[in-house]
Amino acid sequence: RSQKETNPAAVAAAKPVLSEEEAAVAKRERKRLKKERQRERKKTEQENTKRKKAEQKNAKQSQSKNEKAQSVESKLSQKKQQVKKEEQNSPQKGKQMEYKTLRKGIKYIDVVVGRGPIVQDRKKLRVKYVLRAKNHMNGKVIDSSSNFGFRLGKGEVIQGWDIGMEGMRQGGIRRLIVPMQAGYGNRDIGAGRGADLYFEISVLSC
């Protein structure tokens, strides 16, 4: 290469010189681009802030629901213990509890009558339940859940529940005896083929 090609002063001198008008246009364009970047940065910050607030709100709502469910469950547990104690201290201890019979041979008895809203047909509710074989007190546990959700009367559960839970209230505890025609038919789910199923169900929310 020649000295002229590699000389910085020569290269600088070769650059086109902008007129005052062109320089002003270039300056305005730089300002415009700078403002646009600032707007984009501000918009991104606002979106991030909005997203964080939404996440915090959802977390608080979820925590509130969990605390409410835990509170209801705690009250149900206390009521259950109180009923058990009263049964033990009752002069009629050992007397058979009288069950009411519903359609399809389903039997029920309310251990605790809830004071909350009545469960509604086709509306979502959440329950705690224990399924036992042979009896409600010390039969083998076949299945259980501390927070199970479904819609009553939609066929999402066995007929023993759809029929047997009618009239229950939030906070209530009910025992069901479900025969095979309202349960799982002749299937053996752990209690034996065609055996009665013994549920204890607590309504957490409805």
Side-chain angles (χ1 to χ4, degrees):
R1 293 185 178 181
S2 66
Q3 186 177 2
K4 184 177 181 182
E5 290 175 334
T6 56
N7 189 329
V11 172
K15 289 183 179 180
V17 178
L18 298 177
S19 66
E20 290 185 4
E21 184 178 351
E22 289 173 332
V25 169
K27 186 176 181 181
R28 286 196 298 271
E29 181 64 13
R30 287 195 298 272
K31 284 184 177 181
R32 186 188 67 79
L33 292 172
K34 184 178 179 181
K35 286 182 179 180
E36 191 173 313
R37 286 193 295 268
Q38 289 175 342
R39 282 196 298 268
E40 288 294 328
R41 188 161 52 247
K42 187 175 181 181
K43 184 179 178 181
T44 301
E45 290 174 353
Q46 288 175 341
E47 288 176 351
N48 289 338
T49 301
K50 188 176 180 181
R51 188 180 66 255
K52 286 180 181 178
K53 286 183 178 179
E55 289 173 353
Q56 290 173 352
K57 185 179 179 180
N58 291 335
K60 285 182 179 179
Q61 288 177 344
S62 178
Q63 183 180 358
S64 177
K65 286 181 180 178
N66 290 336
E67 288 175 352
K68 187 177 179 181
Q70 289 173 359
S71 175
V72 172
E73 188 175 342
S74 176
K75 288 178 181 178
L76 287 172
S77 179
Q78 290 173 3
K79 285 182 181 179
K80 188 176 177 180
Q81 290 175 359
Q82 183 181 352
V83 169
K84 188 175 180 181
K85 188 176 180 181
E86 288 174 355
E87 287 177 351
Q88 290 173 344
N89 296 332
S90 172
Q92 295 182 346
K93 181 183 176 182
K95 183 180 177 181
Q96 181 93 19
M97 296 178 75
E98 294 182 2
Y99 285 77
K100 296 178 182 178
T101 303
L102 301 170
R103 306 188 305 278
K104 290 187 173 289
I106 300 161
K107 295 179 180 179
Y108 82 94
I109 189 166
D110 285 315
V111 178
V112 175
V113 177
R115 296 185 178 181
I118 298 176
V119 296
Q120 298 293 319
D121 192 40
R122 300 181 181 277
K123 293 295 181 66
K124 191 73 176 281
L125 65 151
R126 305 203 75 82
V127 301
K128 174 184 177 181
Y129 75 88
V130 177
L131 167 60
R132 294 179 183 270
K134 297 185 179 180
N135 63 69
H136 288 108
M137 302 305 294
N138 53 17
K140 181 182 74 172
V141 175
I142 301 171
D143 188 23
S144 66
S145 175
S146 60
N147 191 1
F148 176 68
F150 67 100
R151 288 174 294 178
L152 193 68
K154 289 279 287 182
E156 296 179 359
V157 290
I158 59 174
Q159 286 185 309
W161 278 35
D162 277 340
I163 296 171
M165 289 188 63
E166 290 177 357
M168 284 192 74
R169 289 178 175 272
Q170 182 175 306
I173 302 175
R174 179 173 289 185
R175 288 175 182 167
L176 298 177
I177 301 176
V178 180
M180 68 174 188
Q181 63 267 24
Y184 298 94
N186 202 35
R187 286 169 53 196
D188 182 0
I189 63 168
R193 287 187 177 279
D196 289 343
L197 303 176
Y198 293 80
F199 290 94
E200 183 169 280
I201 304 171
S202 307
V203 179
L204 304 176
S205 64
C206 60

